[in-house]
Amino acid sequence: MYTQGLDQKGHSTPQSAELEDAAQLEAFMLRVGEEEKIEAKDWMPEAYRRTLVRQISQHAHSEIIGMQPEGNWLTRAPSLKRKAILLAKVQDEAGHGLYLYSAAETLGVSRDQMVADLLSGKAKYSSIFNYPTLTWADIGTVGWLVDGAAIMNQIPLCRCSYGPYARAMVRVCKEESFHQRQGFEIMLELSRGTEDQKAMAQDALNRWWWPALMMFGPGDKDSKHSAQSMAWKIKRFSNDELRQKFIDATVPQAEFLGLRVPDDDLKYNEDTGHYDFGKIDWQEFHDVLAGNGPCNKQRMAKRNKAQDDGAWVREAARAYADKHA
Ligand SMILES: [Fe+2]
Ligand SMILES: [Fe+2]
């Protein structure tokens, strides 16, 4: 998942907006209103383009960094079958990153620039990937909750007004659905296992529940550019709406597993038809985003090392391309 709207605050609309042709803007909004897809070569407001570049590149970075917490368990998966499934899942995430970098490139930003911004720490990625995966149950929980939250967020993006992003999301969502199911299935097996396995599953849920809720980004009142993204039909639901949908869908799944969601205030509200839930610790969210989560430094160091270790591959590919030019 991965579109937390991480730095929506503080970004202003461009000064150049006045200079843009009012007629073009009107035609653009008309097309968006009629659910027509905007394509790479079409006219678009500069702020729309920049919002998409920021959102799609953050999404791509999150897919790539997101390979690390699960990659951590590839060598320790409990069986050959589990290893093969996890390997396929982690490879899918790499693929998601690549589709998304390609989608962002259609907006005129180079992949080299996006990667450089990630490696230098200038670009952000989802806060969730800065938490450690301590036991095998964390792999189940990540699939169940993190990929589950990703689906909740990404299904509406299949209808995003920008064509290349919307089309990339269609395939990504199919794969995320497999990821969520494989995670839930790990949890099901653990929760039907020994007392120790059940305890391991509960412990993982205790640690991941609140960070998973933070994946939807700040509450609506603190996410002031959401309204613009909704008007452009990049976004279809607000952060709080998506978070509520996720909670409503996930709590019955936890009950089915026989696990307790770690929130004393969680209660089904007959009047609203939704679950009421406790307060999210937004200070923790901001601390993690600021680089002070449990694994931020480790994630960035590993990504930078991978880039350095791969230098010879890029060099060889360039030499090969030159030779055939
Ligand atoms: Fe993904
Ligand atoms: Fe996934």
Side-chain angles (χ1 to χ4, degrees):
M1 137 108 205
Y2 311 116
T3 50
Q4 258 173 340
L6 296 173
D7 47 11
Q8 294 194 331
K9 267 177 129 178
H11 278 264
S12 56
T13 46
Q15 295 79 16
S16 59
E18 307 82 75
L19 305 175
E20 282 166 355
D21 187 345
Q24 278 178 310
L25 187 59
E26 200 187 320
F28 171 85
M29 287 310 293
L30 208 65
R31 289 183 66 193
V32 168
E34 283 170 2
E35 300 291 337
E36 235 182 87
K37 292 283 177 250
I38 305 300
E39 298 298 337
K41 288 183 176 160
D42 295 345
W43 186 90
M44 62 186 81
E46 178 57 19
Y48 175 84
R49 193 189 68 80
R50 284 195 312 188
T51 297
L52 281 168
V53 166
R54 190 170 70 241
Q55 177 169 335
I56 300 172
S57 62
Q58 278 177 3
H59 192 162
H61 299 329
S62 301
E63 301 282 357
I64 298 298
I65 297 288
M67 295 165 74
Q68 291 188 36
E70 289 173 295
N72 181 36
W73 279 88
L74 285 174
T75 54
R76 292 178 287 155
S79 69
L80 183 61
K81 185 180 129 196
R82 289 292 182 197
K83 185 179 179 134
I85 294 169
L86 185 59
L87 195 57
K89 198 250 187 212
V90 174
Q91 284 177 331
D92 283 352
E93 305 300 5
H96 298 173
L98 299 184
Y99 309 148
L100 287 161
Y101 283 130
S102 298
E105 280 183 309
T106 65
L107 292 157
V109 59
S110 76
R111 186 174 307 200
D112 284 348
Q113 185 57 53
M114 289 185 275
V115 170
D117 287 348
L118 172 64
L119 296 175
S120 72
K122 188 178 159 207
K124 294 206 184 338
Y125 57 87
S126 178
S127 56
I128 194 77
F129 301 117
N130 293 308
Y131 290 85
T133 42
L134 302 179
T135 72
W136 176 250
D138 288 42
I139 298 306
T141 311
V142 167
W144 172 37
L145 299 183
V146 176
D147 291 276
I151 294 168
M152 209 49 95
N153 189 57
Q154 288 170 190
I155 292 274
L157 289 174
C158 297
R159 294 190 293 129
C160 167
S161 58
Y162 188 57
Y165 192 28
R167 290 189 290 272
M169 280 303 109
V170 173
R171 177 160 172 187
V172 167
C173 283
K174 286 183 183 160
E175 293 175 349
E176 297 300 1
S177 166
F178 153 64
H179 299 170
Q180 196 269 352
R181 280 149 192 253
Q182 68 87 37
F184 187 78
E185 206 260 332
I186 291 174
M187 296 306 276
L188 192 59
E189 197 156 329
L190 289 175
S191 62
R192 288 176 177 173
T194 63
E195 282 307 313
D196 282 351
Q197 285 173 317
K198 267 184 247 179
M200 200 195 279
Q202 181 63 58
D203 171 63
L205 175 57
N206 292 348
R207 285 180 289 106
W208 287 90
W209 177 254
W210 292 102
L213 298 189
M214 294 174 199
M215 285 177 66
F216 296 94
D220 293 347
K221 64 177 177 12
D222 299 315
S223 177
K224 56 182 180 178
H225 288 262
S226 276
Q228 180 62 78
S229 278
M230 303 257 262
W232 280 329
K233 299 198 175 172
I234 294 173
K235 240 176 127 93
R236 300 278 174 165
F237 298 99
S238 75
N239 294 353
D240 286 335
E241 283 172 327
L242 290 167
R243 190 169 8 250
Q244 186 70 57
K245 273 171 181 275
F246 173 75
I247 292 169
D248 290 347
T250 310
V251 171
Q253 294 170 2
E255 281 167 4
F256 185 81
L257 291 171
L259 299 177
R260 185 189 168 274
V261 173
D263 178 355
D264 291 337
D265 297 322
L266 187 76
K267 198 170 178 291
Y268 187 71
N269 184 327
E270 295 283 352
D271 296 335
T272 60
H274 297 291
Y275 283 89
D276 293 336
F277 56 98
K279 269 205 165 64
I280 293 172
D281 180 358
W282 290 112
Q283 190 54 50
E284 175 180 325
F285 172 74
H286 291 299
D287 286 347
V288 174
L289 275 192
N292 303 316
C295 299
N296 296 59
K297 289 183 182 68
Q298 183 187 327
R299 301 288 184 243
M300 289 306 294
K302 196 160 187 175
R303 187 67 236 139
N304 272 284
K305 183 176 183 302
Q307 182 76 6
D308 295 345
D309 290 350
W312 71 271
V313 179
R314 294 189 296 279
E315 215 169 283
R318 246 187 318 266
Y320 184 81
D322 287 349
K323 209 163 127 189
H324 290 265

